[in-house]
Amino acid sequence: MRFQIDLDLHYQFDQANTVFLAVEAAYCPGQYVESEEMQIDRAELSRIAGDDGLGQRIWAQVPAGEMMLRYRATLDVTRPNLALEGMAAAPLHQIPGPVAPYLRPSRYCQSDKFGAFVGNQWGHLAGGTKVAAIRQWIQDELSYVPGSSDSDTHVLETFASRQGVCRDYAHMMCTMVRAAGIPARMVAVYSPFVTPQDFHAVAEVWLDGAWHLVDATGMCLPADMAVIAVGRDAYDVAFMDSQAPARMLGQSVQVSLL
């Protein structure tokens, strides 16, 4: 699947600032970046590797005033859509070192609070079949309500309210899968099938010795997504982390099929 990404960010800073950006599509298996262009007016940029070596993050030193960021990319996504059912979960003692941290609770994903619930709901299932059942439960139980959560909302609040946006669905997915003893991490992606168009958050689960994308909102399949960044939760994959107060003047994410 080929698609084009058109991103425009327009922010105001009252003082010189350093921002940490995760907006470029990653060069990784399952997706090929055919072309891309990044422009940030009046900024000094430096890049570092993303978490787990996936993709790149950008340190942008920007002067006081307005920041105009433009990112354009064309991608070919070759990732297959694989059924989770039947995939095996690794025994804990066989989980690799780089994967093991994604078994643990994190800032927004208090998986240690959900062990009993997950055991009661899906204790009779195993591996990918359990993960698929958790994904379906989240899609069925939660209502997608824009504005129902904010950057401080954690999974305990989402579980109580039964509503949220993609960020909250992904947190719930990571939390419950970790509570089941299966590694799960948060992923920021682009997709042409996200409504309304914006940065999108999904999960990845460790099954059959590899990471597999899972969208609990039901909007996207693995073949529909371009991965940007991965991490423990939304804190790690935010598209922009600003050291100084920032005011949004405009933001547009458009992903279109080619």
Side-chain angles (χ1 to χ4, degrees):
M1 177 178 294
R2 294 181 72 247
F3 52 83
Q4 179 174 307
I5 300 163
D6 295 281
L7 170 67
D8 291 280
L9 302 179
H10 188 189
Y11 279 79
Q12 173 78 39
F13 304 112
D14 293 333
Q15 63 191 68
N17 191 20
T18 299
V19 296
F20 195 43
L21 300 165
V23 298
E24 296 177 312
Y27 287 74
C28 64
Q31 60 190 54
Y32 172 68
V33 181
E34 296 179 358
S35 64
E36 64 178 343
E37 180 182 6
M38 166 73 79
Q39 295 180 349
I40 308 179
D41 296 342
R42 304 180 302 134
E44 183 178 334
L45 307 183
S46 58
R47 286 177 167 80
I48 62 172
D51 289 8
D52 292 342
L54 196 149
Q56 291 189 325
R57 310 293 179 89
I58 302 171
W59 286 114
Q61 298 178 57
V62 297
E66 297 183 13
M67 181 191 79
M68 298 285 294
L69 181 154
R70 294 173 292 277
Y71 176 64
R72 305 287 183 268
T74 301
L75 291 92
D76 185 17
V77 178
T78 59
R79 187 180 302 108
N81 294 322
L82 302 176
L84 298 174
E85 291 84 355
M87 290 186 182
L92 291 179
H93 67 282
Q94 292 181 8
I95 292 174
V99 177
Y102 297 107
L103 282 167
R104 301 173 190 150
S106 60
R107 177 173 180 172
Y108 296 113
C109 300
Q110 298 97 322
S111 53
D112 54 322
K113 307 297 185 183
F114 285 85
F117 177 81
V118 169
N120 290 335
Q121 288 283 123
W122 301 291
H124 61 293
L125 302 175
T129 302
K130 179 181 288 188
V131 172
I134 292 172
R135 194 215 68 81
Q136 189 62 55
W137 183 91
I138 295 169
Q139 183 178 352
D140 292 344
E141 287 291 319
L142 268 59
S143 297
Y144 196 96
V145 182
S148 60
S149 63
D150 59 31
S151 60
D152 289 325
T153 302
H154 55 70
V155 73
L156 293 170
E157 295 167 316
T158 303
F159 185 76
S161 69
R162 292 294 205 273
Q163 61 184 12
V165 293
C166 63
R167 169 189 190 278
D168 307 298
Y169 281 68
H171 282 161
M172 186 73 75
M173 189 75 200
C174 289
T175 297
M176 292 192 173
V177 172
R178 291 175 194 172
I182 299 171
R185 65 187 183 183
M186 188 92 157
V187 189
V189 304
Y190 292 110
S191 176
F193 300 112
V194 173
T195 305
Q197 281 278 285
D198 205 341
F199 293 101
H200 193 48
V202 300
E204 260 186 332
V205 297
W206 182 259
L207 294 167
D208 274 356
W211 289 109
H212 299 275
L213 290 163
V214 182
D215 184 2
T217 71
M219 291 185 192
C220 308
L221 295 171
D224 306 333
M225 308 181 210
V227 171
I228 305 168
V230 301
R232 296 163 299 174
D233 52 34
Y235 187 84
D236 290 342
V237 301
F239 70 87
M240 185 175 77
D241 183 14
S242 175
Q243 301 302 300
R247 181 163 60 94
M248 187 181 73
L249 301 178
Q251 181 169 307
S252 173
V253 180
Q254 295 296 323
V255 186
S256 53
L257 293 171
L258 296 176

